[in-house]
Each structure stands twice: as structure tokens, then as C-alpha cells.
Amino acid sequence: MIEIRGLVKQFPGAAHPAVDHLTLMIPEGEVCVLIGPSGCGKTTTMRIINRMIEPDAGSVLVAGRDVTQVDAVDLRRGIGYVIQQVGLFPHWSIADNIATVPKLLGWNDARIAARVDELLALVGMEPAMFRSRFPRELSGGQKQRIGVARALAADPPVMLMDEPFGAIDPITRARLQDEFLRILRSLKKTIVFVTHDIDEAIKMGDRIAILRDGVLVQYATPMTILAGPADPFVESFVGTDRALKRLALIRADAALEPLGPVAPAHAIAAQASLRDALARMFETGADTLAVTGSNGEVLGLVTLAGIRANTRSDDATNHCQSPYCL
């Protein structure tokens, strides 16, 4: 869906390019997270995709079309964009904010009203309660929900999300991450997501592109990066707790062991992560938990020994540097 070929951007007076011959491909329907230290080129790359910044060399193709060959205004109307500051128009109602792009596209009033209500419901905000409110009446988390709803209004196939949860408190941030992962993946959008937080990158991304001084250092799935960092920089960047981070990517029902004659006293839901299971073990003092399905049925066991086995990295040591590696 998005292919970046040899992208270069050099700002005047800078010691090195902000983006230095970047090449990578983002498959349709996946979340690609761009991450790295400040000044690594992640936000510049994102802004080149929707031509808020023009490149010096290279190309960006969206659905096979070179973005430089498309009218910039038309391009942006077909790409959802969510930023940390949200950028809602303060004197417009929530409904009018969400309807910004549909109005520019000439949708009729009935279609716009239906879409506004549909999106408010999608992001968990009761339409009758919120459509007539103004941004000043919303919390930070609610404003961010409206920002996402506005970006989805014209049903764009591509979304750009630049530190969308960076200004929100940690508890609200974790909840919004979970909700938006569910929403965006159910909608099968192709998403470019910029963050400086490696835990957020691991949670949100199907693939992670780690940048340093404008250069792509490693591009792979979260599990591959955690199991096999490409170099000491990546190893340091992802942190010393790589084993625990890997556990957060593995569901409890992916590590099931057979149920014995007696079910353990403590349980964990099948969709919980092995990291959650480990925390539950620390909380209860148990080294074995029952794994339960959506109806409360016991599916099997997860054990401390099984969790230990899943922290080993010798089963995934792919250091692939190709932009097409999995």
C-alpha cells in the first residue's frame, strides 16, 4: 500500500539529512511504527507521505501512485491525519469538526449527519450526548477520540498518526491504545504511526522501523526486533527488559498446557498476555494458572516454566535488514 524508495530530505544548515535514502514497504492493512531518538527523521518521513514536506530525492507511492504526481490537497483529503495536539476547531461543534473533510468533498447533509453519528459511536461517545458539544467541554482523551473520528470521516485507506497519545495521562493512554487498535485493525486501515515510546511501538505496530540520524537501522516485526536486535544501538534502544516485552506480545492461549486432574485456583483470560499472566502469578504466589475462554470455560494451563520458555530468544534471531523482511 505504501512504498518508500530512496527517500532523502536535507534541511538547510543541518549536519546530515533528516531522511537519508530511506527505503521500506508498508503492506496494506498493517500498522507501521516509525521510532527513534529525537531528530531521527520519523516525523519528517510521515510529513513527506502527505506532502506537508517535499522530498529532495526518492519517491513515495501510495496504492501505486507517486504522491508528487497527485494534487497535494486531493492527496491529503484521502489520508487521515491525527496529531498529538488534536487541532480541533474550538468554535465548531464536535459534529462540525468530524464533518470537516466530508463537507469539503461535497457530501449532502443527511450523509454527513449519519457518518458523524456512526463515528461517534465507533469511538465510544454517545452521539446524542456529544455531537452538539464543543472541544472546550471535552477531556483530553475525548478530544483525541474526536481527532481519530475526524481522520476517519471520509473513510481514507491510509492514516498517519503523529504521537497521537503523547499528551494523555498513562492510564487513559493505555485504554485509548487498546480501543484504537481494535477500531483501526477492524477497519483494515494502513497506518503510519510515529512515537518515541518503544513500549507503545511494540504494542501498536505490526512492523517497527527504527531510525537513527535519518537512516533505517532495523525494520521488522516487534517480536523479531525483541528477539534479535540488529546492532548495539537497537539493543540499547529497546531496553534491557526485552524478554518481558516479548511476553506482552504472546497471548496466554498461545502457550497452553494440558489441564491436569484439578484446575488451579487462580485463572487468567485467554486473550491476556503472558506478561499479564506473570503479573498474576506474582500477585497470587501461584506458579500455574487456569486459562479461561470467553464463556468462562477452562481451556488449559499456563505455567511459570512455560513462560520462562517463551522468554528465550534462540527461536527468532532474524537480523534481516531488507525493507521487505518479515
Side-chain angles (χ1 to χ4, degrees):
M1 169 57 79
I2 301 176
E3 189 170 359
I4 298 173
R5 301 174 177 172
L7 200 63
V8 177
K9 182 63 186 180
Q10 174 82 53
F11 291 109
H16 56 77
V19 181
D20 192 356
H21 295 90
L22 175 63
T23 295
L24 60 84
M25 184 181 70
I26 303 168
E28 183 174 0
E30 291 198 2
V31 179
C32 171
V33 177
L34 305 180
I35 190 170
S38 296
C40 71
K42 54 188 183 291
T43 296
T44 300
T45 299
M46 173 177 283
R47 290 166 68 87
I48 289 173
I49 292 173
N50 67 353
R51 292 188 61 192
M52 295 181 74
I53 295 175
E54 297 291 346
D56 296 324
S59 60
V60 176
L61 281 70
V62 176
R65 295 194 305 169
D66 188 326
V67 298
T68 62
Q69 304 303 310
V70 181
D71 178 79
V73 174
D74 289 341
L75 174 71
R76 291 172 198 146
R77 288 177 182 173
I79 296 177
Y81 191 38
V82 185
I83 59 175
Q84 180 177 325
Q85 297 82 8
V86 187
L88 299 179
F89 298 110
H91 302 301
W92 290 11
S93 70
I94 298 310
D96 286 337
N97 268 282
I98 294 173
T100 301
V101 174
K103 286 181 177 180
L104 291 172
L105 295 175
W107 291 18
N108 63 46
D109 290 345
R111 184 182 179 190
I112 288 174
R115 183 62 172 162
V116 167
D117 285 2
E118 177 188 4
L119 288 168
L120 282 170
L122 184 68
V123 299
M125 299 176 72
E126 174 58 44
M129 183 180 299
F130 288 100
R131 71 167 75 92
S132 298
R133 291 190 181 182
F134 290 85
R136 64 179 178 273
E137 301 176 81
L138 304 182
S139 68
Q142 289 171 333
K143 290 177 183 177
Q144 205 63 56
R145 291 168 190 260
I146 299 303
V148 171
R150 182 175 63 182
L152 288 169
D155 198 22
V158 172
M159 289 188 66
L160 309 180
M161 304 184 76
D162 192 359
E163 302 267 12
F165 311 125
I168 300 172
D169 66 88
I171 294 175
T172 303
R173 180 175 184 166
R175 186 171 67 249
L176 288 178
Q177 287 170 344
D178 291 337
E179 291 177 1
F180 289 131
L181 269 178
R182 174 184 55 80
I183 291 168
L184 296 173
R185 284 184 172 156
S186 70
L187 296 175
K188 304 298 184 184
K189 302 295 181 185
T190 304
I191 301 161
V192 181
F193 190 107
V194 164
T195 183
H196 67 276
D197 184 330
I198 187 62
D199 289 314
E200 183 168 69
I202 290 166
K203 182 174 184 177
M204 300 296 290
D206 293 304
R207 300 166 191 255
I208 300 174
I210 300 179
L211 305 174
R212 183 185 190 189
D213 294 335
V215 176
L216 181 64
V217 182
Q218 188 168 12
Y219 182 47
T221 64
M223 186 65 82
T224 295
I225 288 173
L226 291 173
D231 63 15
F233 167 76
V234 175
E235 185 172 11
S236 174
F237 190 80
V238 299
T240 57
D241 60 342
R242 289 189 290 124
L244 286 176
K245 288 185 170 75
R246 289 185 70 205
L247 292 181
L249 298 172
I250 305 171
R251 284 174 47 131
D253 58 2
L256 281 180
E257 299 179 32
L259 183 65
V262 180
H266 303 284
I268 191 88
Q271 68 270 24
S273 70
L274 288 186
R275 188 170 179 172
D276 295 332
L278 185 61
R280 179 74 170 144
M281 288 176 180
F282 288 159
E283 176 188 340
T284 62
D287 62 3
T288 302
L289 300 174
V291 178
T292 58
S294 57
N295 296 321
E297 71 278 20
V298 177
L299 305 176
L301 305 176
V302 63
T303 66
L304 183 58
I307 292 175
R308 285 200 190 103
N310 276 282
T311 65
R312 298 177 189 141
S313 60
D314 57 357
D315 59 342
T317 55
N318 179 8
H319 292 193
C320 175
Q321 293 301 293
S322 164
Y324 303 101
C325 62
L326 299 177

